[in-house]
Amino acid sequence: MKFGFRKSTLVKLGLILLLVAVAPFLVPFTLEFIIVADLMGLEALIVFLFAYGKSIFNSLRLRVEEFSNHIVHTVRLVSELYMFKPSIFVGHATVSSIAMVLACSVLLACAAWVPVMLMSSVYMT
């Protein structure tokens, strides 16, 4: 059985199917999108999407900015640790580099580096 749909009907049907697939992300606006597509046409739907897309973009931008602020604060906290202070870090980097060169084994270098870090944390703090 062959159905004879017009092009506009197929476009509306395709938009409805697409909106049903995207509905979990645009739940409050899905019904309005379908009504706009049916009553006003595809051009009005695109304008409607841009209008709502701006608020969605702004909220996404704020979330990304908040995430980057959390990353910056975490890096600041980590940089204040005793092992990243210049005098301690240089000593640890030197010892671990020498251990890597002499041992040629990451496991052995870590075995030599971790006790040095633990001992310096006891004596330096």
Side-chain angles (χ1 to χ4, degrees):
M1 174 186 261
K2 187 172 182 172
F3 296 104
F5 292 121
R6 292 180 300 190
K7 186 176 181 179
S8 63
T9 306
L10 290 174
V11 168
K12 288 178 187 176
L13 186 62
L15 283 173
I16 290 171
L17 291 175
L18 179 70
L19 288 172
V20 168
V22 180
F25 304 107
L26 302 171
V27 170
F29 312 115
T30 304
L31 185 60
E32 287 88 356
F33 286 162
I34 293 172
I35 291 171
V36 168
D38 191 35
L39 297 177
M40 297 181 184
L42 186 60
E43 294 83 10
L45 177 65
I46 292 172
V47 171
F48 197 65
L49 283 172
F50 280 131
Y52 278 115
K54 186 175 182 181
S55 65
I56 292 170
F57 176 74
N58 285 337
S59 66
L60 182 65
R61 185 184 52 81
L62 288 174
R63 286 183 184 176
V64 167
E65 185 176 313
E66 182 180 347
F67 180 73
S68 67
N69 285 338
H70 286 302
I71 295 293
V72 167
H73 290 301
T74 303
V75 168
R76 284 183 186 158
L77 286 174
V78 168
S79 69
E80 292 174 359
L81 291 175
Y82 69 94
M83 67 180 168
F84 291 115
K85 293 181 180 168
S87 60
I88 297 170
F89 182 74
V90 170
H92 290 237
T94 304
V95 170
S96 63
S97 299
I98 291 170
M100 286 289 284
V101 168
L102 295 177
C104 295
S105 167
V106 174
L107 180 64
L108 193 55
C110 288
W113 186 56
V114 171
V116 172
M117 295 249 329
L118 292 175
M119 292 303 287
S120 71
S121 70
V122 170
Y123 293 121
M124 296 301 270
T125 56

